[in-house]
Amino acid sequence: MRNITISSERALEVIKAPQISEKSTFIAEKTKQIIFYVSRDANKTEIKSAIEQIWKSQNVQVKSVQVANVKGKKKRFGRYLGQKSDWKKAFVSLKGDREIDFTDVKLFEDK
């Protein structure tokens, strides 16, 4: 994966939120991967550079990124059929024994 630089605004658009669930916690403990909700138009190199840029103060380095497109579920509202939006998630592996502290995010430091 090649390194690219993206703006901090784009980094915040790419990474929406970490996925916190029982299954994602199990994956994090077993395979040392962190799962994120990401923008549907983001690619692997953008995701990698966005994570490294957002958590630059923690010196986070990404080893690999795997993405999965998730189809929205079909729902019924009374007699009407609807569908939830499709979304994308990213499985991110970090180099070494690094972990991300989600409480310490400093994107825009005072100049």
Side-chain angles (χ1 to χ4, degrees):
M1 230 181 308
R2 61 178 194 192
N3 290 333
I4 62 169
T5 57
I6 59 174
S7 66
S8 56
E9 291 85 14
R10 178 63 182 158
L12 292 175
E13 289 176 5
V14 169
I15 306 297
K16 293 184 178 178
Q19 184 178 7
I20 308 298
S21 65
E22 216 173 304
K23 187 174 183 178
S24 66
T25 306
F26 178 73
I27 289 173
E29 291 174 357
K30 186 177 179 184
T31 62
K32 305 289 189 223
Q33 288 182 329
I34 302 167
I35 302 172
F36 290 97
Y37 294 108
V38 295
S39 177
R40 287 178 52 198
D41 62 342
N43 58 23
K44 290 181 180 184
T45 55
E46 279 185 327
I47 294 168
K48 177 183 177 182
S49 61
I51 289 174
E52 289 177 349
Q53 184 173 354
I54 291 173
W55 286 281
K56 188 186 308 184
S57 64
Q58 297 180 17
N59 197 15
V60 171
Q61 293 182 339
V62 176
K63 183 167 82 172
S64 67
V65 176
Q66 296 172 328
V67 294
N69 290 315
V70 181
K71 298 286 185 184
K73 292 183 178 180
K74 295 193 184 324
K75 292 288 186 175
R76 180 178 208 101
F77 301 102
R79 62 180 179 165
Y80 303 104
L81 290 175
Q83 184 174 0
K84 289 190 172 186
S85 299
D86 298 341
W87 54 283
K88 185 183 266 191
K89 65 180 172 180
F91 298 86
V92 178
S93 298
L94 302 177
K95 289 184 182 177
D97 291 335
R98 293 296 220 179
E99 291 184 2
I100 293 179
D101 182 16
F102 292 106
T103 60
D104 183 37
V105 177
K106 295 179 184 174
L107 295 176
F108 304 105
E109 297 178 4
D110 294 331
K111 292 183 179 180

